[in-house]
Amino acid sequence: MFFWQNLIDAMVQACTYALIAVGLTMVYGILKILHIAHAAVYAVGAATGLAVFRMTGNFWLAFLSAMVVSGAVGALIYRGVYYYQLDLPRLIPLITSIGLFLLIEDLLQKPYLLGPYQHAFDAARIFPAVKTRWFDITPAETMVLILTVVLFVLVWLLISKTKLGLSWQAASQDREMAAAVGINLNKAVLLNFIVGSALAGAAGVLVGISQNAVYATMGDVPSYKAFVIIVLGGMGSVTGTLIASLLLALVETFLAATIGFVLPRDAIAFLLLILVLMFWPHGLMGRR
């Protein structure tokens, strides 16, 4: 039971990591920008979902509203900021992104938004608990597993089966060549931001419910863990990001369960990053 329960816990953790990191990977794949403000969009999604749930009591409306608002924030960030920095050295949008992250986080801490407090988000009761002789899955974990699978199936269909997905793949290979063959890069990148940011908003709601806590600075830890994951997976590789998310969650969960808290759980991500970069400097699925 020990092994299977820890495996389930790791899979749930991997789902939340992947939802956050895939959007960041999608942005980097096309623009080669480390979009640190993505973690703030994740917090905006959680705050939106909480606000809508408190007003309506409807989980599905809260979940969809969080994705829509997060997607709109992502579109605003691209069209209002990054669009004017595409031809500048990559360090400039990186610094801008850090500034945006701090700005949004500070805004969320205003008293009329989230303030400096944690807010309970108990909305997982519509999902069933699963109890077996080998493991138990709580309603919140059931929610995370089911919705993550559904979202990633939809993203896979979007990327591999639509013209938009093909335009993203072409732009990630060579933006100038993609534009030369008639792809509307501005539209493609804008929709890329919207989809990636919507996934971050979904992750914010799922994490807020699974931890029963939403707060303004909840994007702090995901901001660096998502960075670790996309480096581990190979910069710009969605498949690598999914593998790295699972790998990091497995290592964190089983190390914490077997040797206790000798090493802080959040520090394990950087230890794993160091080891991978020593032996696979391009990441697990990176281009050489």
Side-chain angles (χ1 to χ4, degrees):
M1 182 174 179
F2 171 83
F3 172 81
W4 293 109
Q5 187 62 58
N6 280 295
L7 181 61
I8 292 295
D9 294 341
M11 290 176 63
V12 171
Q13 191 68 62
C15 286
T16 59
Y17 286 166
L19 279 174
I20 301 169
V22 162
L24 187 60
T25 297
M26 290 169 63
V27 171
Y28 183 85
I30 293 180
L31 296 184
K32 303 301 183 284
I33 291 175
L34 288 174
H35 177 39
I36 305 301
H38 190 71
V41 176
Y42 153 85
V44 168
T48 302
L50 175 64
V52 174
F53 184 76
R54 283 179 171 176
M55 288 187 292
T56 66
N58 188 311
F59 165 79
W60 296 109
L61 183 59
F63 186 69
L64 293 175
S65 298
M67 293 185 69
V68 170
V69 171
S70 297
V73 171
L76 185 62
I77 289 174
Y78 167 68
R79 197 60 185 85
V81 181
Y82 292 145
Y83 177 78
Y84 301 101
Q85 300 180 339
L86 296 180
D87 297 324
L88 299 178
R90 297 299 87 187
L91 183 61
I92 293 177
L94 172 61
I95 294 172
T96 301
S97 183
I98 295 172
L100 285 170
F101 171 69
L102 296 174
L103 172 63
I104 296 173
E105 195 173 75
D106 284 346
L107 289 174
L108 289 174
Q109 293 184 71
K110 297 300 180 183
Y112 48 84
L113 293 177
L114 292 177
Y117 313 108
Q118 290 191 6
H119 303 265
F121 195 172
D122 184 15
R125 287 169 291 182
I126 64 172
F127 292 87
V130 178
K131 293 184 180 295
T132 72
R133 56 184 295 189
W134 300 284
F135 56 81
D136 294 338
I137 305 178
T138 66
E141 291 173 334
T142 303
M143 171 197 68
V144 171
L145 291 170
I146 292 175
L147 292 182
T148 300
V149 170
V150 170
L151 288 173
F152 278 135
V153 168
L154 293 176
V155 169
W156 175 78
L157 291 173
L158 180 63
I159 292 176
S160 62
K161 303 296 183 180
T162 67
K163 290 183 179 180
L164 176 61
L166 293 176
S167 70
W168 288 348
Q169 294 179 50
S172 68
Q173 296 286 332
D174 190 324
R175 280 197 296 138
E176 293 183 358
M177 184 61 69
V181 296
I183 292 175
N184 187 333
L185 276 182
N186 189 42
K187 179 181 177 181
V189 174
L190 179 63
L191 291 173
N192 180 278
F193 260 84
I194 291 173
V195 172
S197 298
L199 290 177
V205 171
L206 297 183
V207 171
I209 294 175
S210 62
Q211 297 182 355
N212 198 22
V214 173
Y215 49 98
T217 58
M218 64 186 292
D220 285 353
V221 173
S223 67
Y224 71 75
K225 281 202 175 180
F227 171 72
V228 169
I229 288 168
I230 67 169
V231 173
L232 290 178
M235 303 291 278
S237 170
V238 173
T239 302
T241 296
L242 297 177
I243 295 172
S245 297
L246 180 59
L247 177 62
L248 176 60
L250 287 170
V251 171
E252 284 185 343
T253 301
F254 281 94
L255 276 182
T258 53
I259 67 174
F261 292 95
V262 175
L263 184 68
R265 182 184 179 111
D266 292 335
I268 294 174
F270 288 104
L271 178 60
L272 186 60
L273 175 66
I274 292 169
L275 292 175
V276 169
L277 291 182
M278 286 175 61
F279 300 102
W280 298 282
H282 296 280
L284 299 176
M285 301 286 289
R287 299 175 190 145
R288 287 167 172 77

